[in-house]
Amino acid sequence: MDTTIKYPFHDLGAVNAPHLHRVQEAAARVVASGYYVGGPEVARFEHDLAALTGTRHAVGVSNGLDALRLILRAYIERGDMRPGDEVIVPANTYIATILAITDNGLKPVPVEPDCRTLNLDTSLIERAVTDRTRAIMTVHLYGRICYDAEMSRAAARHGLKIIEDNAQAIGASTAGGRHSGALGDVAAFSFYPTKNLGAMGDGGAVTTDDAELAAIIRALANYGSDRRYHNIYRGLNCRLDPIQAAILSAKMPYLADENTARAANALIYETHIDNPLVTKPLFSDGGDMVWHQYVVQTADRDRFRSFLAEKGVETGVHYPVAPHRQPCMRDYASLNLPIAEHIAATCVSLPVSSGTSADDAREIARIINSYTTPE
Ligand SMILES: *Cc1c(COP(=O)(O)O)cnc(C)c1O
């Protein structure tokens, strides 16, 4: 069997190749500056991110999980939440969303996704609310904005914070022109190398219009210190490295190009994939979907992936196990979440980033169309 990869799932070298000189220049500038923690590059990136998102504040942090953890911790420090309070979260999210909640002694309340959008089914929020619910952690999964009037009404009615996990949807915007990361009360970003805006290592950020919350998060991420050797919280060390900040500032002007390339590949799949064994994702040619992943569903996932691998097409699975089925979540294993489990059992991610050319995407679609049931 020839298993040479002809169509890599996500060729980060190819994605970053057009930016290599910019990235090297940015990294060299940091090395020469003498600022290796904090300093002007981090401040500049925070300014750039706030401008991109349309929020008053941005705080660079170490990674996406820490961004989510710090947001919840800040709400606890301010007295908006107490350990034991509940946070509504989509049942099919990446586990980091859940870990941020449990790490703070809060209780995740997984709610089923909509089987068309694969995002939190906002019509189920109302039923999931109890007197301990304090927040909805909405996840713009696969790059698709999950925020609507139903969510904001439920939040307003019950006094809930809306926290966006925007790790997968940087650059997305609603029909009304509002950006992901500026829709709720506060948002977390990840710049893990495979995200639509990827660092060359770990990175993350928080955006918000809430100045007080931003200040608490900034202090918490720096030993709980509001000024030097003065610790108002029992904080952490969760800072964004200036070398990553400089790289991200250098790449940010080209985020729109990356998202455009992804949308072009998604459109090719939408028009060319025509196979009754393969369910395509709900299509959107609007800005509300930045195609972090292009996720199809198929009954016999392993056979489908092996078939593609034999033809040189590398695929991914996001995610093979729903969080409540993970060993670390044993106490949630009895939850009945059939839609989340069905997605986990059937989802396959196709190559969609700018590392995949339009010709490659057409060829991948052709290969998918040749996939049949066993004799
Ligand atoms: C990547 C990701 C995270 C975590 O971000 P890291 O920077 O890897 O810690 C959280 N939530 C979602 C939905 C993600 O995709």
Side-chain angles (χ1 to χ4, degrees):
M1 190 171 78
D2 175 18
T3 51
T4 320
I5 297 171
K6 268 190 269 175
Y7 307 103
F9 176 63
H10 194 174
D11 185 346
L12 279 179
V15 169
N16 282 316
H19 310 298
L20 222 47
H21 59 292
R22 283 185 273 279
V23 165
Q24 281 165 350
E25 194 276 322
R29 199 171 63 234
V30 174
V31 171
S33 76
Y35 276 102
Y36 305 134
V37 174
E41 295 287 353
V42 175
R44 183 180 131 195
F45 174 67
E46 289 172 340
H47 175 269
D48 292 348
L49 183 66
L52 177 86
T53 308
T55 55
R56 284 199 204 103
H57 308 280
V59 182
V61 300
S62 36
N63 57 63
L65 172 57
D66 283 347
L68 291 164
R69 288 168 70 206
L70 288 163
I71 288 168
L72 292 169
R73 175 78 190 275
Y75 277 131
I76 290 172
E77 292 290 352
R78 194 165 75 176
D80 294 325
M81 293 179 197
R82 281 186 301 132
D85 284 344
E86 295 172 6
V87 178
I88 289 171
V89 62
N92 60 324
T93 187
Y94 180 52
I95 193 151
T97 324
I98 308 277
L99 296 178
I101 300 170
T102 57
D103 183 66
N104 278 287
L106 298 162
K107 189 170 176 270
V109 177
V111 169
E112 285 272 59
D114 176 304
C115 57
R116 274 169 49 84
T117 62
L118 310 185
N119 268 336
L120 180 74
D121 183 342
T122 57
S123 73
L124 302 177
I125 292 174
E126 198 60 53
R127 250 176 282 171
V129 171
T130 73
D131 57 0
R132 291 304 298 269
T133 311
R134 294 293 174 267
I136 302 165
M137 203 170 248
T138 186
V139 182
H140 308 310
L141 199 67
Y142 306 145
R144 190 188 308 271
I145 286 182
C146 181
Y147 177 85
D148 63 9
E150 189 132 24
M151 181 185 293
S152 62
R153 266 202 306 273
R157 191 174 307 125
H158 302 285
L160 313 177
K161 306 290 184 200
I162 296 180
I163 302 166
E164 299 173 66
D165 179 340
N166 192 33
Q168 301 192 356
I170 187 167
S173 53
T174 64
R178 290 172 66 199
H179 289 271
S180 67
L183 301 170
D185 294 283
V186 60
F189 291 66
S190 165
F191 307 111
Y192 185 78
T194 61
K195 309 290 179 175
N196 292 30
L197 177 62
M200 297 196 169
D202 279 306
V206 173
T207 56
T208 184
D209 282 339
D210 184 334
E212 188 185 37
L213 194 73
I216 297 172
I217 289 168
R218 192 178 289 288
L220 283 171
N222 190 32
Y223 314 114
S225 164
D226 58 344
R227 57 194 151 83
R228 202 160 213 203
Y229 303 128
H230 186 259
N231 299 78
I232 45 176
Y233 309 110
R234 295 178 183 179
L236 301 159
N237 177 346
C238 298
R239 299 175 298 221
L240 177 65
D241 287 339
I243 203 156
Q244 300 301 343
I247 289 170
L248 290 165
S249 286
K251 286 182 69 181
M252 194 189 282
Y254 306 91
L255 169 66
D257 295 345
E258 175 62 30
N259 288 348
T260 301
R262 288 167 181 264
N265 283 335
L267 178 60
I268 289 169
Y269 289 147
E270 166 68 13
T271 25
H272 291 264
I273 295 177
D274 181 16
N275 185 330
L277 300 176
V278 179
T279 305
K280 288 180 283 189
L282 177 68
F283 189 69
S284 169
D285 56 7
D288 63 322
M289 174 49 149
V290 292
W291 301 102
H292 176 62
Q293 302 294 356
Y294 186 94
V295 176
V296 299
Q297 288 176 266
T298 189
D300 196 348
R301 192 217 348 253
D302 292 346
R303 200 172 69 83
F304 179 66
R305 293 191 74 208
S306 311
F307 172 86
L308 293 182
E310 274 171 41
K311 312 267 183 219
V313 181
E314 191 182 26
T315 55
V317 177
H318 301 90
Y319 300 94
V321 180
H324 70 285
R325 291 289 186 186
Q326 291 287 357
C328 67
M329 297 296 293
R330 272 176 299 274
D331 37 341
Y332 289 79
S334 63
L335 288 180
N336 182 35
L337 298 162
I339 301 174
E341 285 174 29
H342 179 74
I343 294 168
T346 57
C347 63
V348 180
S349 310
L350 303 183
V352 75
S353 77
S354 64
T356 299
S357 70
D359 284 343
D360 290 354
R362 273 187 287 269
E363 185 55 22
I364 292 166
R366 196 193 59 73
I367 293 167
I368 288 172
N369 290 342
S370 71
Y371 174 68
T372 53
T373 41
E375 303 300 303

